[in-house]
Amino acid sequence: MFRITEDIPTFIKRYPITTLMVGICTVLMIIITFMGGYNSKTILQLGAYDIQLVNEGQVWRLLTCAFGHMSYFHFFLNMPFILLFSRPLERILGSKKFFLSYIFMSVFATLMIHLFSGYPIPLAGSSGVGYGLLGMYIYLFLRHGNQFSSYDKRFVIMFTLLGFIMTFLIPGISIAGHIGGFVGGIILSPFVFKDCR
């Protein structure tokens, strides 16, 4: 389910939204490199979340922050996460519905940060939506567990548990963003999967 077997042209054709989302993040990483690297100024210029700016009306940052990152390490940590877990869901939902789901979870995760954390520094990253994807898998396993292999279920559950352990143990991680994304994925799932078989 999670193994990538396609060549690049086939991958792009089968998973256009996954390709688009990873592509946007990659382009922003390249741009920020030419701007001098990752720092508060450059990530803000490229759409990072900032509580004061959002309160002043720049609500688009609730979405755009999901495509930037805080460092090269952060970028290279999140991109395999998105690549791994997006593809099967895009295949199940179809590209249009998956695109809308991705946008919803991106905004929902950041909104939870805005409402419940008051994160003091500019923030960017796609891990909120990544946890949203995990929430969608957990919903599917609870409702349609017999349609998935034991290996795939164990893999997602262990990845989710490990992810939340890291969330609470590593300083500086947005707990509200990860929990918010996860909850957003679960909340969204009954609506987007109701017609899927």
PDB file of all heavy atoms in Angstrom, residues 98-114:
ATOM      1  N   PHE A  98      -9.299  14.779  -2.825  1.00  0.00           N
ATOM      2  CA  PHE A  98      -8.083  14.780  -2.017  1.00  0.00           C
ATOM      3  C   PHE A  98      -7.514  16.191  -1.904  1.00  0.00           C
ATOM      4  O   PHE A  98      -7.052  16.594  -0.836  1.00  0.00           O
ATOM      5  CB  PHE A  98      -7.035  13.834  -2.606  1.00  0.00           C
ATOM      6  CG  PHE A  98      -5.764  13.798  -1.810  1.00  0.00           C
ATOM      7  CD1 PHE A  98      -5.740  13.193  -0.559  1.00  0.00           C
ATOM      8  CD2 PHE A  98      -4.604  14.395  -2.287  1.00  0.00           C
ATOM      9  CE1 PHE A  98      -4.570  13.182   0.198  1.00  0.00           C
ATOM     10  CE2 PHE A  98      -3.442  14.384  -1.537  1.00  0.00           C
ATOM     11  CZ  PHE A  98      -3.431  13.778  -0.294  1.00  0.00           C
ATOM     12  N   PHE A  99      -7.554  16.947  -3.000  1.00  0.00           N
ATOM     13  CA  PHE A  99      -7.070  18.330  -2.965  1.00  0.00           C
ATOM     14  C   PHE A  99      -7.832  19.150  -1.926  1.00  0.00           C
ATOM     15  O   PHE A  99      -7.239  19.854  -1.102  1.00  0.00           O
ATOM     16  CB  PHE A  99      -7.223  18.966  -4.353  1.00  0.00           C
ATOM     17  CG  PHE A  99      -6.906  20.433  -4.385  1.00  0.00           C
ATOM     18  CD1 PHE A  99      -5.595  20.876  -4.377  1.00  0.00           C
ATOM     19  CD2 PHE A  99      -7.924  21.369  -4.420  1.00  0.00           C
ATOM     20  CE1 PHE A  99      -5.292  22.233  -4.398  1.00  0.00           C
ATOM     21  CE2 PHE A  99      -7.640  22.726  -4.446  1.00  0.00           C
ATOM     22  CZ  PHE A  99      -6.323  23.161  -4.437  1.00  0.00           C
ATOM     23  N   LEU A 100      -9.156  19.061  -1.942  1.00  0.00           N
ATOM     24  CA  LEU A 100      -9.976  19.809  -0.984  1.00  0.00           C
ATOM     25  C   LEU A 100      -9.701  19.341   0.442  1.00  0.00           C
ATOM     26  O   LEU A 100      -9.668  20.151   1.376  1.00  0.00           O
ATOM     27  CB  LEU A 100     -11.459  19.655  -1.328  1.00  0.00           C
ATOM     28  CG  LEU A 100     -11.886  20.268  -2.674  1.00  0.00           C
ATOM     29  CD1 LEU A 100     -13.335  19.917  -2.992  1.00  0.00           C
ATOM     30  CD2 LEU A 100     -11.677  21.776  -2.672  1.00  0.00           C
ATOM     31  N   SER A 101      -9.488  18.046   0.621  1.00  0.00           N
ATOM     32  CA  SER A 101      -9.173  17.508   1.947  1.00  0.00           C
ATOM     33  C   SER A 101      -7.835  18.044   2.444  1.00  0.00           C
ATOM     34  O   SER A 101      -7.697  18.414   3.621  1.00  0.00           O
ATOM     35  CB  SER A 101      -9.125  15.977   1.895  1.00  0.00           C
ATOM     36  OG  SER A 101     -10.369  15.442   1.492  1.00  0.00           O
ATOM     37  N   TYR A 102      -6.858  18.095   1.557  1.00  0.00           N
ATOM     38  CA  TYR A 102      -5.521  18.582   1.917  1.00  0.00           C
ATOM     39  C   TYR A 102      -5.586  20.037   2.361  1.00  0.00           C
ATOM     40  O   TYR A 102      -4.998  20.418   3.379  1.00  0.00           O
ATOM     41  CB  TYR A 102      -4.597  18.427   0.709  1.00  0.00           C
ATOM     42  CG  TYR A 102      -3.121  18.502   1.038  1.00  0.00           C
ATOM     43  CD1 TYR A 102      -2.363  17.338   1.095  1.00  0.00           C
ATOM     44  CD2 TYR A 102      -2.484  19.715   1.271  1.00  0.00           C
ATOM     45  CE1 TYR A 102      -0.998  17.390   1.380  1.00  0.00           C
ATOM     46  CE2 TYR A 102      -1.132  19.773   1.563  1.00  0.00           C
ATOM     47  CZ  TYR A 102      -0.401  18.610   1.619  1.00  0.00           C
ATOM     48  OH  TYR A 102       0.943  18.666   1.907  1.00  0.00           O
ATOM     49  N   ILE A 103      -6.341  20.849   1.620  1.00  0.00           N
ATOM     50  CA  ILE A 103      -6.485  22.267   1.967  1.00  0.00           C
ATOM     51  C   ILE A 103      -7.200  22.411   3.310  1.00  0.00           C
ATOM     52  O   ILE A 103      -6.785  23.196   4.172  1.00  0.00           O
ATOM     53  CB  ILE A 103      -7.243  23.027   0.861  1.00  0.00           C
ATOM     54  CG1 ILE A 103      -6.471  22.984  -0.461  1.00  0.00           C
ATOM     55  CG2 ILE A 103      -7.528  24.471   1.287  1.00  0.00           C
ATOM     56  CD1 ILE A 103      -5.084  23.567  -0.405  1.00  0.00           C
ATOM     57  N   PHE A 104      -8.275  21.657   3.496  1.00  0.00           N
ATOM     58  CA  PHE A 104      -9.021  21.724   4.758  1.00  0.00           C
ATOM     59  C   PHE A 104      -8.127  21.390   5.939  1.00  0.00           C
ATOM     60  O   PHE A 104      -8.100  22.112   6.949  1.00  0.00           O
ATOM     61  CB  PHE A 104     -10.214  20.768   4.729  1.00  0.00           C
ATOM     62  CG  PHE A 104     -10.906  20.622   6.052  1.00  0.00           C
ATOM     63  CD1 PHE A 104     -11.879  21.531   6.450  1.00  0.00           C
ATOM     64  CD2 PHE A 104     -10.573  19.591   6.925  1.00  0.00           C
ATOM     65  CE1 PHE A 104     -12.510  21.413   7.680  1.00  0.00           C
ATOM     66  CE2 PHE A 104     -11.200  19.462   8.153  1.00  0.00           C
ATOM     67  CZ  PHE A 104     -12.167  20.376   8.534  1.00  0.00           C
ATOM     68  N   MET A 105      -7.368  20.293   5.846  1.00  0.00           N
ATOM     69  CA  MET A 105      -6.532  19.875   6.979  1.00  0.00           C
ATOM     70  C   MET A 105      -5.398  20.858   7.235  1.00  0.00           C
ATOM     71  O   MET A 105      -5.016  21.077   8.389  1.00  0.00           O
ATOM     72  CB  MET A 105      -6.003  18.456   6.745  1.00  0.00           C
ATOM     73  CG  MET A 105      -7.100  17.409   6.838  1.00  0.00           C
ATOM     74  SD  MET A 105      -6.498  15.715   6.678  1.00  0.00           S
ATOM     75  CE  MET A 105      -5.914  15.688   4.993  1.00  0.00           C
ATOM     76  N   SER A 106      -4.869  21.452   6.172  1.00  0.00           N
ATOM     77  CA  SER A 106      -3.823  22.464   6.341  1.00  0.00           C
ATOM     78  C   SER A 106      -4.340  23.642   7.156  1.00  0.00           C
ATOM     79  O   SER A 106      -3.711  24.086   8.128  1.00  0.00           O
ATOM     80  CB  SER A 106      -3.341  22.963   4.970  1.00  0.00           C
ATOM     81  OG  SER A 106      -2.772  21.922   4.215  1.00  0.00           O
ATOM     82  N   VAL A 107      -5.510  24.148   6.769  1.00  0.00           N
ATOM     83  CA  VAL A 107      -6.085  25.310   7.455  1.00  0.00           C
ATOM     84  C   VAL A 107      -6.538  24.931   8.862  1.00  0.00           C
ATOM     85  O   VAL A 107      -6.326  25.686   9.820  1.00  0.00           O
ATOM     86  CB  VAL A 107      -7.265  25.882   6.636  1.00  0.00           C
ATOM     87  CG1 VAL A 107      -7.988  26.981   7.422  1.00  0.00           C
ATOM     88  CG2 VAL A 107      -6.776  26.422   5.299  1.00  0.00           C
ATOM     89  N   PHE A 108      -7.144  23.765   9.015  1.00  0.00           N
ATOM     90  CA  PHE A 108      -7.660  23.336  10.319  1.00  0.00           C
ATOM     91  C   PHE A 108      -6.523  23.235  11.335  1.00  0.00           C
ATOM     92  O   PHE A 108      -6.650  23.696  12.481  1.00  0.00           O
ATOM     93  CB  PHE A 108      -8.384  21.997  10.184  1.00  0.00           C
ATOM     94  CG  PHE A 108      -9.171  21.612  11.402  1.00  0.00           C
ATOM     95  CD1 PHE A 108     -10.508  21.979  11.526  1.00  0.00           C
ATOM     96  CD2 PHE A 108      -8.593  20.880  12.429  1.00  0.00           C
ATOM     97  CE1 PHE A 108     -11.246  21.632  12.649  1.00  0.00           C
ATOM     98  CE2 PHE A 108      -9.313  20.526  13.555  1.00  0.00           C
ATOM     99  CZ  PHE A 108     -10.650  20.905  13.662  1.00  0.00           C
ATOM    100  N   ALA A 109      -5.403  22.630  10.924  1.00  0.00           N
ATOM    101  CA  ALA A 109      -4.264  22.479  11.838  1.00  0.00           C
ATOM    102  C   ALA A 109      -3.744  23.842  12.286  1.00  0.00           C
ATOM    103  O   ALA A 109      -3.482  24.060  13.476  1.00  0.00           O
ATOM    104  CB  ALA A 109      -3.144  21.680  11.163  1.00  0.00           C
ATOM    105  N   THR A 110      -3.617  24.782  11.333  1.00  0.00           N
ATOM    106  CA  THR A 110      -3.110  26.108  11.688  1.00  0.00           C
ATOM    107  C   THR A 110      -4.121  26.875  12.534  1.00  0.00           C
ATOM    108  O   THR A 110      -3.748  27.627  13.438  1.00  0.00           O
ATOM    109  CB  THR A 110      -2.761  26.919  10.424  1.00  0.00           C
ATOM    110  OG1 THR A 110      -2.016  26.097   9.531  1.00  0.00           O
ATOM    111  CG2 THR A 110      -1.922  28.135  10.789  1.00  0.00           C
ATOM    112  N   LEU A 111      -5.395  26.685  12.256  1.00  0.00           N
ATOM    113  CA  LEU A 111      -6.437  27.347  13.049  1.00  0.00           C
ATOM    114  C   LEU A 111      -6.382  26.885  14.501  1.00  0.00           C
ATOM    115  O   LEU A 111      -6.576  27.682  15.430  1.00  0.00           O
ATOM    116  CB  LEU A 111      -7.807  27.059  12.439  1.00  0.00           C
ATOM    117  CG  LEU A 111      -8.983  27.885  12.948  1.00  0.00           C
ATOM    118  CD1 LEU A 111      -8.743  29.374  12.738  1.00  0.00           C
ATOM    119  CD2 LEU A 111     -10.270  27.448  12.270  1.00  0.00           C
ATOM    120  N   MET A 112      -6.091  25.603  14.719  1.00  0.00           N
ATOM    121  CA  MET A 112      -5.956  25.102  16.085  1.00  0.00           C
ATOM    122  C   MET A 112      -4.753  25.744  16.787  1.00  0.00           C
ATOM    123  O   MET A 112      -4.805  26.039  17.982  1.00  0.00           O
ATOM    124  CB  MET A 112      -5.818  23.567  16.085  1.00  0.00           C
ATOM    125  CG  MET A 112      -7.060  22.826  15.599  1.00  0.00           C
ATOM    126  SD  MET A 112      -8.555  23.205  16.556  1.00  0.00           S
ATOM    127  CE  MET A 112      -9.373  24.398  15.487  1.00  0.00           C
ATOM    128  N   ILE A 113      -3.682  25.966  16.028  1.00  0.00           N
ATOM    129  CA  ILE A 113      -2.532  26.676  16.590  1.00  0.00           C
ATOM    130  C   ILE A 113      -2.953  28.096  16.986  1.00  0.00           C
ATOM    131  O   ILE A 113      -2.642  28.570  18.075  1.00  0.00           O
ATOM    132  CB  ILE A 113      -1.374  26.729  15.569  1.00  0.00           C
ATOM    133  CG1 ILE A 113      -0.830  25.326  15.286  1.00  0.00           C
ATOM    134  CG2 ILE A 113      -0.248  27.645  16.071  1.00  0.00           C
ATOM    135  CD1 ILE A 113       0.119  25.261  14.108  1.00  0.00           C
ATOM    136  N   HIS A 114      -3.662  28.747  16.089  1.00  0.00           N
ATOM    137  CA  HIS A 114      -4.081  30.135  16.317  1.00  0.00           C
ATOM    138  C   HIS A 114      -4.995  30.253  17.531  1.00  0.00           C
ATOM    139  O   HIS A 114      -4.864  31.189  18.329  1.00  0.00           O
ATOM    140  CB  HIS A 114      -4.782  30.661  15.067  1.00  0.00           C
ATOM    141  CG  HIS A 114      -5.076  32.125  15.118  1.00  0.00           C
ATOM    142  ND1 HIS A 114      -4.094  33.081  15.003  1.00  0.00           N
ATOM    143  CD2 HIS A 114      -6.244  32.801  15.294  1.00  0.00           C
ATOM    144  CE1 HIS A 114      -4.638  34.287  15.099  1.00  0.00           C
ATOM    145  NE2 HIS A 114      -5.934  34.145  15.267  1.00  0.00           N
TER     146      HIS A 114
END
